[in-house]
Amino acid sequence: MVQRGGYQRILNTDISSVVVQHMQDLHKGIPQLQYRTADARSMPEYKDGAFDAVLDKGTLDAVLCGQHAGDSATSMLDECSRVLRPGGVLVLVTYGEPCSRLPLLLQPCYGWHVTLYVMGNQLGTHLHMFPAQLSPIIHGPVDVHALVRIALLSLASALDRCWRCNSDWLCCC
């Protein structure tokens, strides 16, 4: 994806130094990928607005399974919001139910425009849980390939410059 997409810099983080070392070894031939040990709940090493996009593929799920889940989730999302440049994009991939994730993401302090894509045939199950005014943000069902295309198009349209050149990404793993 990195080489074919033309991405210039993708910073991948994980709280585990063992995972970071493994990923560095695995992808040592791809200079656009950098790996750092970091806690997504507190990332003072990164400046405000440092990233064009943040991709979370399961970190919020893991944080919500730990101690002080609510506070930890809030801290993580606060940090994502802080390190995103104005107009940046957060892509969140989660196994969590929409009714447990949307309230976190729709906090007014973030000012995020949230769009939810539901995979599989569970859309009807989720729609009845939300007020009618939220239904325009919920889409589906979509398959995983369509979801990847949607995410990339969403990123491309939200970034000021082409998502294929000079964008800084932070991946929380």
Side-chain angles (χ1 to χ4, degrees):
M1 179 177 106
V2 173
Q3 292 168 330
R4 285 187 307 215
Y7 298 101
Q8 299 301 309
R9 292 178 300 275
I10 299 178
L11 176 62
N12 299 277
T13 65
D14 197 284
I15 199 166
S16 168
S17 60
V18 173
V19 169
V20 167
Q21 185 61 54
H22 174 72
M23 296 306 288
Q24 285 174 331
D25 293 344
L26 189 64
H27 297 116
K28 62 184 168 198
I30 306 173
Q32 299 92 333
L33 296 177
Q34 300 174 13
Y35 293 89
R36 302 284 183 271
T37 302
D39 184 340
R41 298 168 296 180
S42 176
M43 300 182 286
E45 61 271 32
Y46 305 115
K47 296 178 184 175
D48 295 0
F51 298 98
D52 297 314
V54 173
L55 170 64
D56 167 24
K57 50 184 182 51
T59 304
L60 184 61
D61 292 351
V63 165
L64 286 168
C65 291
Q67 291 183 325
H68 313 291
D71 291 339
S72 292
T74 298
S75 295
M76 180 193 154
L77 293 173
D78 286 351
E79 280 296 273
C80 288
S81 178
R82 183 186 67 76
V83 301
L84 275 172
R85 71 165 177 79
V89 177
L90 168 65
V91 175
L92 176 71
V93 180
T94 179
Y95 282 105
E97 296 286 331
C99 60
S100 69
R101 299 304 186 259
L102 281 176
L104 296 169
L105 300 171
L106 292 171
Q107 292 296 312
C109 61
Y110 302 129
W112 290 336
H113 170 80
V114 176
T115 304
L116 171 71
Y117 296 93
V118 178
M119 291 178 55
N121 59 2
Q122 300 298 312
L123 182 61
T125 305
H126 302 300
L127 278 179
H128 78 278
M129 297 179 193
F130 299 102
Q133 64 266 30
L134 289 183
S135 62
I137 70 167
I138 303 173
H139 305 279
V142 296
D143 65 33
V144 68
H145 301 291
L147 188 59
V148 169
R149 286 190 301 275
I150 291 166
L152 290 174
L153 289 172
S154 297
L155 289 170
S157 67
L159 298 174
D160 290 338
R161 54 188 179 225
C162 173
W163 59 272
R164 292 181 173 215
C165 57
N166 298 320
S167 291
D168 294 322
W169 290 61
L170 173 67
C171 296
C172 302
C173 304

